[in-house]
Amino acid sequence: MNKTESLDTRLDPVTFEVLKNAFVNLVDQMSEQILRTCYSFVIYSRDFSSAICDAEGNTIMQGTQDISVHVGTLHLTAKAVLEDFGEDIHPGDVFLVNDPYRGGTHFCDVRVVRPVFYQGKLISFMQCNGHWADVGGSVPGSFNVQSKDHYGEGMRIPPVRIWSKGQYLKDVANLMVANMRVPEERLGDLRSQAEATKVGEQQLVRLIEKYGLSTVVTAFEEVQNYVERLGRARIEELPDGTWETTDYIDMDPELGDQLIPIHVSLSIQGDEIFYDLRGSHSYVSTFLNSGFGASFSAVISGTKTFFPDIPLNSGFYRFVHVELPENSVVNAPHPVAVTGFCSGAYEKIMNAIFELWSQVMPERAIACSFNLEYLLIGGSDRRDGYNNYFMWYDWMAGGHGGRSFKDGANAMSPVFGVGLSIQPCEGQERLSPVITTHHEIVTDSAGPGKFRGGAGVRKGGTLTLCEDAVMSYCCDRSRSVTWGINGGLPSQPHGAWLNPESEDPHFLGTVFSNIPLQQGDSFDRPAAGGGGLGDSLERDPQLVLEDVIDQYVSIERARKDYGVVIKEIDREIDLFEIDEEATVQERDYIRANRKQWMQTDILLVQQKFKAGEIDELDVIRRYGVIIDYTTGNVLPTSTEQYRNMLYKRTLQYWS
């Protein structure tokens, strides 16, 4: 093509397709660069994303393996740089930003933004976003559940120039990392991300030199228009209507016994989608709130899940409209704490959107998935040859929700971060004085259903040679337990234990900070499975038998949750058999009584639980009761809310 062609020229189909895929490849090359050069084990485990944006900051393309939470936010970061610097942007400049109140997610997600010039004209921005394992604040890892504002969460970085016309501003970089733990690692990640954006710039220049500036810039616009046209056409094929649901955060510490509602309404009107989150609770007194950018990302990620074939760029945002009420848990203002948004509001929005689209597109239905959780341990590493500060920063696999045609996926990364790798224990043990003692699938963690949820995972460890170590935990769904849909049953509560095998085990719950640890202390945390889809009494007994053989389901819960009576003949050779007559009787018994069980007096349930007559899963799945597991006492308000939720998602579908 002629390199002097008009920008108004539309592209021929072949050139368009080549450049569209070239942009994807360009971003993926940026990702490969950061993967191979980063310093942080967190980023190495794929907690990062990249994007190419146009001169106005609009996303042209994101990568194929970017994690969900960064989707829908990177264009906001590029626009923040434009807003703050305007015409004062030059070749060789590189900017840094992590501000969650300016379109970011939380303070640990640090974005490097490089403007790209060609023949003296600004034509694009390259962006690489990585999760830094610590950005300061009052606790190692920068996750402080006790923070009510961002000042205890870490360093807030508005758009700031870190390279000026190619000159590295060492003093600015040192000022920032001096306020962070393990500063040499932070500087290493900064250089890695900057080089990744440099790779993107080089690849873009290569495309321009091959196809011409006007052709490439036209392609910037055309790929966005293509996504918009494709998305609108897909939406227009669907029925108009409005669907609503509510999911919950466990609590506001200042309110105590009360689930925190996040209300989501989805409307389809012609070829446009409208989301309205009005009716969601005001922001809470801990860090589980979400800023505008993160909540917008949750909406986009939840929607994109049901349209996997549509590429992702700013064209997608043109037909999706989002109303996020101000001063709420889904749109918290500065300086309200937001670092734990990932375990709080974010995944609640995503799972609520999954439920709504499951009604619009039942062939792709999916129940609730387990909740993201982070366990962070920091302190002084006293092993021979180390003698430095360490950060053990871990997230868990768990189960995704049951699907309309298939069981949920076992031991998956969270929907928050599909694309994350589960961190290898060997690498963690080399870098930190923490030994992994077990990492295994949890029997009975999958929410029962005609299609059961995926199984959850348990992981535990022990501290070795260390001093002044503390532990923090960011999670949820110990009360708003992972739920099923269309008659499916819940999974199990989340939560972490300290010294679980000792004479004095402590259940620490799902959100805590600065718990002191010493050499020899151990911990354990089981992640939930996904919720079930469909009535568990309609599951093929042969499939239940297979789950028992695979140890996804115990013989006891096969009877209680599925009404399938199984006899163990020889466990050593996986020989079991179904008692068909007893199964028919058990299923009839459960059908006749299960709605009544859900109305059992909550104090009677508490009494049975404390007496050991029923277990935790009975409490949740058979009685729909929420208990504070640190005391064993029932939570009346949370139970009422949870039972109402169970009625809408489960009981009303039972025959």
Side-chain angles (χ1 to χ4, degrees):
M1 284 197 172
N2 190 324
K3 295 187 179 183
T4 61
E5 66 185 345
S6 167
L7 291 181
D8 293 331
T9 302
R10 299 300 95 182
L11 304 180
D12 67 86
V14 174
T15 303
F16 167 78
E17 194 66 26
V18 168
L19 286 174
K20 175 170 69 72
N21 289 290
F23 296 150
V24 176
N25 182 61
L26 178 155
V27 178
D28 283 348
Q29 287 189 63
M30 292 168 61
S31 298
E32 290 301 314
Q33 175 71 17
I34 186 175
L35 187 65
R36 283 161 171 73
T37 60
C38 62
Y39 278 51
S40 168
F41 202 55
V42 176
I43 295 180
Y44 180 74
S45 298
R46 303 204 71 97
D47 196 345
F48 66 83
S49 60
S50 303
I52 175 175
C53 299
D54 63 21
E56 296 177 352
N58 301 307
T59 302
I60 298 165
M61 202 63 70
Q62 286 197 230
T64 56
Q65 295 190 60
D66 290 347
I67 70 170
S68 306
V69 69
H70 302 156
V71 168
T73 66
L74 298 182
H75 69 295
L76 298 174
T77 310
K79 290 178 183 294
V81 171
L82 281 166
E83 289 170 3
D84 283 14
F85 288 90
E87 299 296 321
D88 186 21
I89 298 176
H90 311 281
D93 286 352
V94 178
F95 301 90
L96 206 64
V97 58
N98 76 343
D99 194 337
Y101 313 106
R102 298 287 302 280
T105 48
H106 55 188
F107 301 102
C108 292
D109 284 340
V110 181
R111 290 106 187 277
V112 172
V113 183
R114 179 186 296 271
V116 178
F117 288 77
Y118 190 79
Q119 295 179 348
K121 180 179 179 180
L122 176 64
I123 59 169
S124 175
F125 288 93
M126 297 296 165
Q127 188 168 174
C128 187
N129 179 20
H131 184 116
W132 291 10
D134 186 279
V135 288
S138 54
V139 301
S142 310
F143 277 69
N144 187 356
V145 63
Q146 297 174 340
S147 290
K148 295 184 180 181
D149 56 47
H150 93 259
Y151 302 108
E153 297 189 288
M155 192 165 195
R156 179 190 180 194
I157 308 170
V160 62
R161 206 187 315 261
I162 204 76
W163 271 267
S164 178
K165 299 180 182 179
Q167 182 69 35
Y168 177 53
L169 303 181
K170 183 178 180 180
D171 54 344
V172 177
N174 287 341
L175 172 65
M176 290 188 295
V177 302
N179 291 281
M180 303 174 186
R181 297 167 182 86
V182 198
E184 62 276 9
E185 187 176 283
R186 308 288 79 79
L187 289 174
D189 288 336
L190 169 61
R191 291 191 295 268
S192 174
Q193 291 174 246
E195 285 302 308
T197 61
K198 184 68 173 178
V199 168
E201 179 184 47
Q202 292 168 347
Q203 293 302 313
L204 181 59
V205 170
R206 183 182 64 83
L207 290 174
I208 292 172
E209 291 176 346
K210 181 175 183 179
Y211 293 96
L213 175 62
S214 60
T215 299
V216 172
V217 173
T218 299
F220 288 172
E221 179 184 353
E222 282 299 285
V223 294
Q224 296 177 63
N225 293 340
Y226 166 76
V227 167
E228 181 183 9
R229 287 195 307 272
L230 181 58
R232 287 185 182 277
R234 295 286 299 280
I235 298 302
E236 198 165 27
E237 294 173 352
L238 300 172
D240 285 1
T242 298
W243 298 262
E244 298 182 60
T245 193
T246 302
D247 200 356
Y248 297 92
I249 294 173
D250 280 351
M251 63 173 174
D252 179 335
E254 291 187 351
L255 298 178
D257 174 19
Q258 177 183 327
L259 302 180
I260 303 302
I262 293 177
H263 183 78
V264 183
S265 170
L266 160 67
S267 294
I268 298 176
Q269 298 178 19
D271 61 358
E272 296 189 302
I273 302 169
F274 297 86
Y275 288 100
D276 191 343
L277 278 72
R278 286 176 293 188
S280 299
H281 200 275
S282 56
Y283 60 80
V284 296
S285 62
T286 185
F287 67 170
L288 297 175
N289 304 288
S290 179
F292 177 91
S295 291
F296 182 78
S297 167
V299 169
I300 296 300
S301 296
T303 307
K304 181 70 172 62
T305 302
F306 284 77
F307 300 92
D309 56 317
I310 300 178
L312 186 69
N313 60 34
S314 287
F316 199 93
Y317 314 147
R318 296 174 185 172
F319 58 85
V320 179
H321 309 280
V322 185
E323 178 70 35
L324 296 170
E326 294 182 356
N327 298 314
S328 69
V329 71
V330 298
N331 189 3
H334 174 264
V336 172
V338 294
T339 292
F341 82 97
C342 41
S343 294
Y346 189 92
E347 285 195 340
K348 309 307 183 299
I349 297 172
M350 279 195 74
N351 279 292
I353 287 174
F354 288 171
E355 182 187 13
L356 297 177
W357 280 104
S358 294
Q359 298 174 51
V360 179
M361 305 168 70
E363 71 278 8
R364 290 187 173 175
I366 182 171
C368 184
S369 296
F370 85 105
N371 204 83
L372 169 76
E373 51 89 87
Y374 287 133
L375 185 66
L376 305 93
I377 301 173
S380 297
D381 188 344
R382 295 308 183 200
R383 294 176 296 169
D384 289 344
Y386 286 83
N387 198 31
N388 57 11
Y389 199 90
F390 77 92
M391 274 299 310
W392 192 88
Y393 192 118
D394 191 48
W395 53 79
M396 283 275 283
H400 284 198
R403 292 166 280 184
S404 58
F405 61 97
K406 195 174 184 179
D407 293 342
N410 303 316
M412 291 289 289
S413 54
V415 295
F416 158 92
V418 174
L420 282 174
S421 298
I422 301 306
Q423 299 182 45
C425 302
E426 296 84 356
Q428 291 179 319
E429 291 174 355
R430 183 173 182 177
L431 295 170
S432 304
V434 181
I435 298 296
T436 297
T437 54
H438 56 278
H439 195 191
E440 59 194 4
I441 284 179
V442 181
T443 302
D444 295 327
S445 58
K450 181 177 181 180
F451 299 101
R452 63 163 174 77
V457 174
R458 169 179 284 109
K459 186 175 183 179
T462 300
L463 276 75
T464 59
L465 294 172
C466 64
E467 290 180 359
D468 302 321
V470 295
M471 179 167 65
S472 300
Y473 191 53
C474 173
C475 191
D476 204 56
R477 293 206 187 277
S478 67
R479 301 180 182 182
S480 59
V481 182
T482 305
W483 35 265
I485 62 171
N486 300 351
L489 287 168
S491 174
Q492 65 180 22
H494 278 271
W497 289 83
L498 180 62
N499 296 320
E501 303 299 325
S502 70
E503 295 180 358
D504 187 27
H506 288 281
F507 179 71
L508 300 175
T510 54
V511 281
F512 55 81
S513 299
N514 258 351
I515 300 296
L517 301 175
Q518 57 187 357
Q519 181 178 335
D521 279 342
S522 63
F523 58 87
D524 181 52
R525 69 222 231 242
L533 188 148
D535 189 345
S536 61
L537 298 186
E538 295 178 6
R539 185 168 177 82
D540 185 341
Q542 191 63 38
L543 294 178
V544 178
L545 176 61
E546 291 294 327
D547 284 342
V548 169
I549 292 172
D550 293 335
Q551 299 184 45
Y552 293 146
V553 177
S554 67
I555 289 178
E556 179 185 17
R557 299 263 29 126
R559 177 180 62 82
K560 287 184 174 182
D561 295 331
Y562 295 95
V564 177
V565 180
I566 295 175
K567 297 179 181 178
E568 179 180 321
I569 307 302
D570 189 337
R571 166 64 74 176
E572 287 294 319
I573 59 173
D574 287 334
L575 185 58
F576 301 82
E577 68 177 26
I578 298 170
D579 187 329
E580 295 185 3
E581 182 178 349
T583 293
V584 171
Q585 294 175 352
E586 187 69 21
R587 286 188 160 183
D588 287 343
Y589 169 72
I590 293 173
R591 282 194 185 93
N593 292 279
R594 56 184 175 176
K595 288 186 177 179
Q596 194 171 343
W597 289 334
M598 287 286 183
Q599 299 174 11
T600 303
D601 181 85
I602 58 176
L603 294 180
L604 178 59
V605 175
Q606 174 181 296
Q607 179 182 333
K608 287 175 174 288
F609 176 71
K610 287 187 172 182
E613 298 174 23
I614 58 175
D615 62 18
E616 179 184 273
L617 294 180
D618 293 327
V619 170
I620 294 294
R621 296 175 183 171
R622 182 157 283 193
Y623 299 102
V625 170
I626 303 301
I627 281 179
D628 180 347
Y629 293 100
T630 59
T631 64
N633 293 330
V634 70
L635 299 168
T637 303
S638 297
T639 295
E640 180 181 4
Q641 292 171 288
Y642 196 70
R643 281 182 166 179
N644 287 337
M645 180 277 293
L646 279 175
Y647 177 80
K648 294 175 182 177
R649 293 189 170 112
T650 301
L651 271 67
Q652 69 170 332
Y653 292 91
W654 287 346
S655 58

